[in-house]
Amino acid sequence: MTELVSVFGEIYCVPAAEEPLSSDIGVFYGDKYLWLFDVGSVEKTVGEIDTRGLKTACVLSHFHPDHVGGLGGISPEKIYLGANTLKYIGRGTPVSGDIFLHDGEDILIFPLPSTHAKGSLGLQIGRCAFLGDGIYPAEKKGGAVYNSGILKEQIAKLKSLSAEYFLLSHDPKFLYPKGEVISGLEKIYSRRTKNSAFISAE
Ligand SMILES: [Zn+2]
């Protein structure tokens, strides 16, 4: 059985790993579904998460293999993904606007404007929101950068969420107060210049 780490209330995670590179897997036991946010890259790890007899619904944050590669290890009844991720996965429900659900907690599946990966999704469950790699920059030739227009939209989206905590992939601390994440992004946005669409992440 895959060991879960407690994050907040009924929210757990399988922490990210380096060898092989695998994202965190967010886990929430609803009344009807076991919710997974990302599935990591290792089929056996995601396949051995205790389902407590529930059907599985998963939300894929973006198409990168360390987040979606383990999908073959489970048989989810529902897969929510962005249109860009759908091109790689070939099945599932594309999400182009906010989807509100209730399963034990209020759940919101939302598109997250992201420089890191086009078509990223986030998942808010109660007081927490999983953001995956969504707030990270993208690697360009000159180094890690943010697109300033996308960053502006992202900050607005994050501010609109009711969640009090944001959960960030590949980060050992994982759980951050919402305000701390937004002020970090606003600091980066404040460095934008008129002559470039990009802002260095350094
Ligand atoms: Zn990624």
Side-chain angles (χ1 to χ4, degrees):
M1 208 60 96
T2 296
E3 203 181 313
L4 301 180
V5 174
S6 181
V7 176
F8 193 98
E10 278 303 289
I11 297 175
Y12 303 85
C13 81
V14 179
E18 298 276 349
E19 289 288 336
L21 182 64
S22 188
S23 71
D24 315 72
I25 304 172
V27 177
F28 171 69
Y29 294 97
D31 294 332
K32 279 172 81 178
Y33 288 97
L34 161 66
W35 288 86
L36 299 180
F37 182 77
D38 286 332
V39 294
S41 63
V42 181
E43 291 186 358
K44 186 171 149 63
T45 302
V46 65
E48 292 185 355
I49 291 172
D50 183 3
T51 65
R52 298 187 188 172
L54 297 166
K55 292 176 284 187
T56 300
C58 70
V59 177
L60 301 177
S61 65
H62 65 301
F63 67 93
H64 291 163
D66 53 318
H67 292 255
V68 302
L71 192 61
I74 55 171
S75 306
E77 188 181 283
K78 290 181 192 262
I79 301 173
Y80 296 95
L81 33 59
N84 194 41
T85 309
L86 179 59
K87 283 190 222 159
Y88 292 82
I89 303 296
R91 63 195 163 110
T93 306
V95 177
S96 56
D98 289 355
I99 298 178
F100 292 90
L101 302 162
H102 188 85
D103 186 22
E105 289 269 14
D106 287 329
I107 291 175
L108 167 63
I109 303 166
F110 58 93
L112 179 62
S114 170
T115 305
H116 179 80
K118 197 175 152 194
S120 286
L121 297 184
L123 173 66
Q124 175 173 276
I125 300 173
R127 296 162 70 186
C128 293
F130 290 95
L131 305 182
D133 291 354
I135 69 160
Y136 299 150
E139 292 297 329
K140 293 251 188 264
K141 273 171 275 169
V145 294
Y146 287 91
N147 175 294
S148 59
I150 294 174
L151 184 57
K152 184 182 181 189
E153 287 174 36
Q154 176 177 93
I155 291 167
K157 182 68 200 181
L158 293 177
K159 281 184 171 172
S160 78
L161 298 174
S162 61
E164 296 159 46
Y165 299 98
F166 289 157
L167 312 180
L168 308 181
S169 281
H170 306 288
D171 185 317
K173 199 178 148 200
F174 198 50
L175 180 142
Y176 286 83
K178 172 183 180 172
E180 188 179 329
V181 172
I182 290 176
S183 65
L185 293 170
E186 283 180 328
K187 228 176 246 167
I188 294 166
Y189 185 65
S190 72
R191 300 201 309 260
R192 73 196 180 280
T193 57
K194 276 206 176 96
N195 44 26
S196 175
F198 295 99
I199 310 166
S200 165
E202 311 307 325

